[in-house]
Amino acid sequence: MKYNISFQPTIQSKLASIDFDNLPFGQVFSDHIFVADYRDGAWQDLRIEPFGPITMMPSNLTLHYGQAIFEGMKAFKNQAGTPVLFRPEMHAKRLNASAARMCMPDLPEDLFLEALHQLVGIDHAWIPNKPGNSLYIRPFAFATEEIIGVRPSNSYKFMIFTAPVGPYYDKPLKLIAANKYVRAVPGGVGEAKAAGNYAAGLLPTQEAHDAGYDQILWTDNHEYKYIQECGTMNIVFMIGDTIVTPATDGAILKGITRDTLLYMLRQKGMKVEERPVSIDELAKAHQAGTLKDAFGVGTAAVIAPVTEISYYESQDATRVKTIKLPLEGRDISTGLKKELHEIRTGILPDPYGWVHEVKIRDAAAV
Ligand SMILES: *Cc1c(COP(=O)(O)O)cnc(C)c1O
């Protein structure tokens, strides 16, 4: 193996104390964490150790200037009970794309993959067996230099921890199109999975919740007219028999689920268009009866159906119009979700080379 990753096993596994039948999302964490420190221009001290607190000085750069990025992915078990990862190399690449934008050092892709395989191999027993459940994986990196001053840090930490999670409850989504706030602009950091993007979305999302909506339909910064994403998911429409989704224009996060689903649809010979999509176009298609489907896509939900899209008639007006879509009759998106689930869990063969088996490692024997 190219990388030497040391392993300090936990003294007391928490595994037996976890109620796998009632997993809250993101509150239960597996026994171990992978850690790498970036110092003197290199990633070093590669290690897997017990999951636990990290200490830092109040002057830690991340806390002030937000040099912090992350990834989100999942591990499953296939039909033989072997742990599998889904398109992990895409996450390695995207982490580095995010790092580049945030002026953070590149992490070798093979180090990302080696760390991921070892960690999931050690904590394989944390992957839930129940259908629909999975092991959520959170790789992330942040500045660690302790200094007050706006400049890139000289040191960083990269970490991966995992969390067993229950099925994402895909309640149909009611969206409100943004007409006051923006998530991202071309040239900004919307293409990066940077921590600050999510902080910026909290207030608009809270206001949307208060007004009775589930998520914001993010729009462009100029006219609040062209659609970007919904909440923290990419968004896809079906107009007539064409799949239409906003083109990634520099303000849209390049979702791996989006990429996966579009690829599968094209393989099926479906017409797929990545281009600007306006709210006007959706309203007209809806009126003409050709807006067949709308759904959010991302790692957590895979596909979340959208049943309502509300929008302001004009930017200052308070009058809201709503496009309503029935939950029924979404054969393409429901079929796609099922097929992807079956590929990821080995029920169906994987013709694309997306599913990567993880070698189980005996956590006690090292
Ligand atoms: C992570 C994320 C997505 C979805 O990406 P996946 O790789 O499919 O999980 C979409 N939009 C935003 C803003 C995201 O942060």
Side-chain angles (χ1 to χ4, degrees):
M1 236 154 290
K2 183 169 163 195
Y3 294 101
N4 181 18
I5 300 175
S6 71
F7 178 44
Q8 181 202 341
T10 182
I11 295 165
Q12 178 88 59
S13 171
K14 294 169 291 182
L15 190 59
S17 70
I18 308 301
D19 177 5
F20 275 84
D21 288 324
N22 297 291
L23 286 170
F25 195 95
Q27 293 175 44
V28 171
F29 304 104
S30 315
D31 281 333
H32 298 98
I33 182 166
F34 172 83
V35 187
D37 292 318
Y38 184 87
R39 250 183 287 115
D40 308 323
W43 289 102
Q44 42 194 290
D45 293 347
L46 316 177
R47 58 201 188 269
I48 291 172
E49 57 188 34
F51 179 85
I54 42 183
T55 57
M56 58 175 70
M57 285 299 188
S59 52
N60 177 296
L61 276 178
T62 301
L63 300 178
H64 305 272
Y65 312 118
Q67 250 191 322
I69 56 174
F70 68 96
E71 274 302 313
M73 54 194 296
K74 283 177 172 176
F76 307 87
K77 278 184 190 161
N78 67 15
Q79 297 307 295
T82 305
V84 292
L85 299 166
F86 188 75
R87 307 190 77 185
E89 72 293 346
M90 294 288 282
H91 291 276
K93 286 195 169 71
R94 189 170 64 188
L95 183 87
N96 279 334
S98 300
R101 180 62 183 86
M102 303 308 287
C103 212
M104 296 166 72
D106 208 66
L107 183 88
E109 275 174 40
D110 57 354
L111 170 56
F112 180 100
L113 295 173
E114 180 65 33
L116 193 62
H117 275 263
Q118 288 208 22
L119 182 70
V120 173
I122 286 170
D123 279 339
H124 66 91
W126 287 81
I127 306 173
N129 286 315
K130 237 176 141 180
N133 294 12
S134 59
L135 188 71
Y136 185 81
I137 304 171
R138 171 48 59 88
F140 64 114
F142 59 96
T144 55
E145 197 178 344
E146 288 153 354
I147 184 170
I148 291 298
V150 181
R151 62 156 174 77
S153 179
N154 283 323
S155 59
Y156 298 86
K157 262 192 201 311
F158 169 68
M159 297 179 146
I160 311 174
F161 65 78
T162 68
V165 294
Y168 183 92
Y169 175 56
D170 50 354
K171 168 167 100 59
L173 296 176
K174 296 181 180 172
L175 308 179
I176 176 75
N179 78 331
K180 179 164 126 191
Y181 300 110
V182 291
R183 188 192 90 88
V185 299
V189 296
E191 261 189 5
K193 246 176 145 64
N197 283 332
Y198 304 84
L202 294 177
L203 177 67
T205 306
Q206 190 174 59
E207 290 183 6
H209 285 172
D210 291 347
Y213 305 102
D214 299 310
Q215 283 296 348
I216 306 243
L217 182 64
W218 295 108
T219 53
D220 73 280
N221 61 304
H222 187 53
E223 301 174 276
Y224 299 99
K225 188 171 148 188
Y226 290 98
I227 293 163
Q228 295 179 336
E229 305 193 45
C230 68
T232 57
M233 285 184 282
N234 295 117
I235 190 159
V236 179
F237 304 97
M238 189 162 161
I239 301 174
D241 51 15
T242 304
I243 297 290
V244 181
T245 189
T248 50
D249 61 347
I252 292 177
L253 197 288
K254 292 179 178 164
I256 293 163
T257 314
R258 175 187 183 279
D259 181 83
T260 299
L261 296 175
L262 297 187
Y263 191 87
M264 289 169 70
L265 287 162
R266 286 184 171 123
Q267 286 295 305
K268 291 177 195 306
M270 288 206 58
K271 212 170 143 208
V272 176
E273 292 177 359
E274 297 177 64
R275 58 167 173 80
V277 187
S278 70
I279 296 186
D280 281 355
E281 179 184 355
L282 293 185
K284 288 207 176 90
H286 184 242
Q287 249 167 15
T290 55
L291 183 61
K292 304 282 187 222
D293 201 346
F295 49 97
V297 305
T299 293
V302 182
I303 288 178
V306 173
T307 49
E308 287 191 24
I309 300 171
S310 297
Y311 59 98
Y312 296 92
E313 275 187 285
S314 64
Q315 207 183 304
D316 52 347
T318 47
R319 270 190 58 196
V320 172
K321 282 197 165 184
T322 301
I323 296 169
K324 291 194 179 173
L325 289 170
L327 192 54
E328 298 72 36
R330 300 177 182 231
D331 301 349
I332 302 286
S333 60
T334 42
L336 208 56
K337 181 171 183 170
K338 182 163 177 281
E339 186 180 342
L340 180 54
H341 168 74
E342 293 181 346
I343 290 174
R344 292 198 299 192
T345 52
I347 296 170
L348 283 179
D350 164 26
Y352 310 112
W354 286 337
V355 177
H356 295 238
E357 291 193 3
V358 174
K359 196 173 118 236
I360 287 175
R361 291 156 212 260
D362 185 353
V366 182

